[in-house]
């Protein structure tokens, strides 16, 4: 039917996974950035206090503050649709720099690859006011890149100085690589929840503008907090390591920063 949701089978898959995990007798189950409230509720109902969903809002905030990817005096945050808005608000709560404003977009989908988009009335800033700003667009996952490119296109047309796309789960398909090579997207910051993203061939042309935050250290720190283990030993170390191609113009500066911060004592 035409009104069938895009991912009609996803709830069944989530339920099956939760049931299998419960029957397998796992002591704890951790997911990274499952933004679906219904899926989180399903896991919580079946697994009770054994389920933890780790959202990397602090990870991205830390990188934005401690790298040179944005000018902190010019930063604007953007949610490309309603689903991304809670994540953006969480990032904002971690960014103790100049109280960045949030631009929210409303998206309508008329097909899997056909969308329309306009600024939301719930925004803290008008899209006209992004001129000369560094705009950071957030999402939990990219699959085709259609939504992000349309969002970045509109922002760029209103004179944004730079647009950075931050995404937790990067599915590097030929289609997403083609679309995100768009000049409307200046840089991409993602994580290695999908390990294939570390492969330069998988990154393709995007290796010139992609930064991967390897989050194993961040996961360990979160698990330690949940179990009440002292995490003070990590206080002076970044919660991630950076993977970046030497083709990226920021590579030399980024590698120098990471070395001085995490290895020189």
């Amino acid at each position: 039917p035409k009104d069938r949701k895009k991912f009609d089978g996803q709830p069944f898959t989530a339920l099956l996974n939760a049931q299998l995990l419960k029957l397998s007798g796992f002591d704890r189950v951790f997911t990274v950035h499952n933004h679906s409230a219904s899926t989180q509720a399903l896991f919580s109902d079946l697994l009770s206090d054994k389920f933890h969903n780790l959202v990397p809002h602090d990870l991205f905030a830390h990188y934005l503050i401690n790298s040179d990817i944005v000018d902190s005096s010019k930063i604007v945050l953007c949610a490309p649709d309603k689903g991304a808005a809670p994540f953006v608000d969480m990032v904002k709560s971690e960014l103790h720099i100049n109280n960045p404003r949030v631009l929210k977009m409303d998206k309508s989908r008329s097909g899997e690859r056909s969308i329309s988009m306009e600024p939301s009335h719930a925004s803290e800033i008008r899209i006209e006011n992004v001129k000369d700003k560094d705009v950071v667009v957030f999402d939990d996952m990219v699959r085709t890149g259609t939504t992000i490119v349309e969002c970045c296109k509109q922002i760029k047309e209103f004179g944004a100085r730079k647009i950075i796309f931050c995404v937790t789960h990067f599915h590097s398909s030929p289609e997403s690589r083609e679309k995100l090579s768009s000049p409307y997207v200046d840089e991409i910051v993602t994580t290695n929840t999908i390990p294939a993203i570390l492969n330069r061939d998988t990154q393709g042309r995007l290796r010139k503008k992609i930064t991967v935050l390897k989050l194993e250290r961040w996961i360990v720190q979160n698990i330690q907090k949940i179990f009440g283990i002292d995490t003070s030993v990590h206080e002076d170390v970044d919660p991630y390591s950076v993977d970046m191609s030497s083709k990226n113009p920021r590579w030399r500066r980024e590698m120098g920063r990471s070395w001085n911060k995490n290895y020189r004592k």
Side-chain angles (χ1 to χ4, degrees):
K2 290 184 179 180
D3 60 352
R4 178 172 291 178
K5 292 183 180 179
K6 185 175 63 169
F7 298 117
D8 198 31
Q10 190 168 355
F12 172 77
T13 305
L15 175 61
L16 177 62
N17 285 333
Q19 290 172 333
L20 290 173
L21 289 167
K22 181 178 181 179
L23 291 171
S24 299
F26 279 88
D27 293 325
R28 299 272 179 158
V29 174
F30 297 87
T31 59
V32 175
H33 202 174
N34 183 339
H35 88 282
S36 169
S38 60
T39 302
Q40 289 184 51
L42 187 154
F43 270 69
S44 295
D45 289 343
L46 281 174
L47 301 168
S48 188
D49 58 354
K50 296 181 178 181
F51 171 64
H52 307 273
N53 181 46
L54 309 179
V55 182
H57 60 288
D58 53 338
L59 189 84
F60 286 112
H62 185 284
Y63 188 71
L64 292 175
I65 293 170
N66 291 282
S67 70
D68 65 352
I69 197 168
V70 294
D71 182 336
S72 60
S73 67
K74 298 177 180 292
I75 189 171
V76 171
L77 310 182
C78 177
D81 54 31
K82 291 180 180 178
F87 182 41
V88 174
D89 290 339
M90 293 173 73
V91 175
K92 180 179 177 178
S93 71
E94 292 285 332
L95 281 175
H96 307 295
I97 49 172
N98 301 313
N99 188 30
R101 311 302 295 275
V102 176
L103 172 67
K104 297 181 180 181
M105 304 294 283
D106 286 335
K107 178 181 71 175
S108 299
R109 187 181 292 275
S110 56
E112 188 171 348
R113 289 167 176 78
S114 179
I115 64 168
S116 59
M117 185 175 292
E118 62 181 9
S120 169
H121 295 300
S123 295
E124 299 174 353
I125 184 173
R126 294 172 61 86
I127 194 169
E128 293 88 347
N129 295 330
V130 302
K131 182 176 173 59
D132 297 326
K133 301 291 186 181
D134 289 353
V135 182
V136 189
V137 181
F138 291 90
D139 214 342
D140 65 315
M141 180 178 179
V142 62
R143 193 173 66 92
T144 68
T146 302
T147 295
I148 296 307
V149 171
E150 177 60 27
C151 178
C152 294
K153 177 178 181 290
Q154 292 197 27
I155 293 170
K156 203 73 158 183
E157 287 174 348
F158 280 94
R161 186 180 81 99
K162 186 178 185 181
I163 301 177
I164 300 96
F165 174 41
C166 291
V167 58
T168 305
H169 311 296
F170 195 110
H171 176 57
S172 184
S173 65
E175 182 178 7
S176 65
R177 291 197 300 270
E178 178 68 26
K179 288 183 177 177
L180 290 171
S181 64
S182 163
Y184 300 124
V185 184
D186 295 305
E187 298 207 47
I188 300 167
V189 181
T190 188
T191 75
N192 61 323
T193 56
I194 303 177
I197 195 61
L198 296 171
N199 186 323
R200 299 288 181 249
D201 292 333
T202 297
Q203 294 176 9
R205 286 181 293 169
L206 297 182
R207 64 183 178 273
K208 295 181 179 180
K209 60 181 177 181
I210 197 167
T211 301
V212 181
L213 306 181
K214 299 170 70 175
L215 43 57
E216 291 87 347
R217 193 182 301 154
W218 174 82
I219 291 174
V220 169
Q221 291 175 13
N222 275 276
I223 292 174
Q224 288 178 323
K225 290 176 184 176
I226 288 169
F227 284 98
I229 299 171
D230 182 17
T231 60
S232 59
V233 67
H234 304 296
E235 288 179 355
D236 295 327
V237 180
D238 289 340
Y240 49 80
S241 56
V242 176
D243 185 273
M244 179 187 289
S245 169
S246 60
K247 300 291 185 182
N248 190 312
R250 294 194 304 111
W251 177 79
R252 192 174 297 278
R253 298 194 305 275
E254 183 57 54
M255 292 304 101
R257 184 194 74 85
S258 295
W259 171 261
N260 288 321
K261 179 70 185 293
N262 294 321
Y263 302 104
R264 281 184 151 179
K265 296 295 179 183

